[in-house]
Amino acid sequence: MKTLDVSECVDLEPLPLDALAPRERILKTASELFYRNSIHTVGIDRIIAESGVAKMTFYKHFPSKANLAATYLRHKSALWFDMLATATEQAGPVPLNRVLAIFDALNESFQAPTFRGCPFVRGLAEFGPDAETPEVQATLAAYFHDLHEFVVSLIQPLKLKNQESVVVQILALIQGSLVNAQAMRGGIEPLATRDAAKMLLEAAVERG
C-alpha cells in the first residue's frame, strides 16, 4: 500500500472540484464531508454523488470506505506536518522559538471558519481499539507517533535531563488546545496555551 508523504501532498481545499482528476475529486469531497461531519456519518453514496464520479471509478481508486478514511487521514497528516515544518523553520534556530511556533500555527488555524477540531482526536473517538479497521487505526497511530518524534526533534537541542517528560507535557498542551478550541469557539484566550508552553520550557531549561 502506497502512503502519502509531504512531498507529494497537495492542499486540495482551495482547488475547484472540476479541475481535479477523479481520485483527487473523491478525496477532496470526502475530506470536506468527513471533517465537517464525521467519517461514520458520511456514506459512500453521498461522496460519489457530490464528487461527480461513477461508482466504478470510486472503487477503482478506493476499494473500501476504510481505505478512503485512512487516505483522508494520511492526507490531513501530510498537510499538518508540512504546516508545522514551515512554521518551525521560519521561527529560526532557537529551540524555544521553534516549539512556540507550533502554537502560533495552531492559533492561526483556530481563526478559520472551517475549523472543526483535530481530525486525529476525532478519529480516535470514531475508531476505537475494537474497530475492525486496521488501516485506519495504523494511520492514527502513525500520526501520533510522528507528532511525538517531531516535538522530540525540536526539544532535543535543549539537552534536558527530563526530556521525555517535557515532550509529553508539550504534546498534552497541543492536543488540549485543539480540543478547547473546538469546544469553546471564541471562548478561550488564543495565546494562553502558548504562554503555558513557554513557561514550561523556560522552567525545564532552568532545571537543566
Side-chain angles (χ1 to χ4, degrees):
M1 180 186 65
K2 186 177 186 295
T3 59
L4 295 167
D5 65 29
V6 171
S7 65
E8 63 186 8
C9 189
V10 176
D11 186 359
L12 300 174
E13 186 175 340
L15 302 176
L17 200 62
D18 58 7
L20 301 173
R23 183 184 183 281
E24 283 65 42
R25 285 165 64 186
I26 296 167
L27 182 56
K28 174 180 169 66
T29 302
S31 294
E32 292 174 350
L33 291 172
F34 287 163
Y35 187 60
R36 187 167 69 244
N37 301 288
S38 71
I39 295 173
H40 284 331
T41 60
V42 176
I44 286 176
D45 288 344
R46 182 177 178 185
I47 295 169
I48 290 172
E50 295 197 19
S51 63
V53 302
K55 183 171 287 191
M56 185 181 300
T57 302
F58 177 92
Y59 284 108
K60 173 186 175 182
H61 294 290
F62 301 100
S64 67
K65 183 180 176 182
N67 175 257
L68 176 58
T71 304
Y72 152 72
L73 289 167
R74 288 195 294 271
H75 186 262
K76 284 285 193 183
S77 178
L79 293 174
W80 165 236
F81 282 112
D82 187 37
M83 178 190 73
L84 287 185
T86 299
T88 54
E89 286 168 10
Q90 289 177 345
V94 179
L96 175 62
N97 293 341
R98 288 169 65 82
V99 175
L100 296 181
I102 294 176
F103 297 92
D104 293 332
L106 284 174
N107 288 328
E108 184 174 342
S109 71
F110 296 161
Q111 312 310 314
T114 55
F115 177 75
R116 296 291 185 277
C118 175
F120 310 101
V121 172
R122 292 171 58 184
L124 285 178
E126 290 197 75
F127 297 91
D130 297 327
E132 297 180 359
T133 50
E135 186 180 1
V136 176
Q137 290 164 307
T139 302
L140 289 166
Y143 163 76
F144 286 104
H145 172 268
D146 290 347
L147 182 59
H148 176 276
E149 294 306 297
F150 183 80
V151 174
V152 167
S153 73
L154 297 179
I155 290 178
Q156 220 160 26
L158 295 174
K159 301 186 184 304
L160 303 175
K161 293 178 182 177
N162 60 337
Q163 174 180 288
E164 182 59 20
S165 175
V166 174
V167 168
V168 170
Q169 291 174 75
I170 291 295
L171 289 170
L173 288 172
I174 291 170
Q175 299 301 347
S177 67
L178 284 160
V179 173
N180 282 340
Q182 180 184 358
M184 300 181 288
R185 292 297 298 272
I188 60 170
E189 167 55 49
L191 297 179
T193 311
R194 184 188 191 279
D195 291 342
K198 184 173 185 291
M199 289 188 288
L200 168 66
L201 289 169
E202 288 175 341
V205 170
E206 189 173 323
R207 289 194 302 269

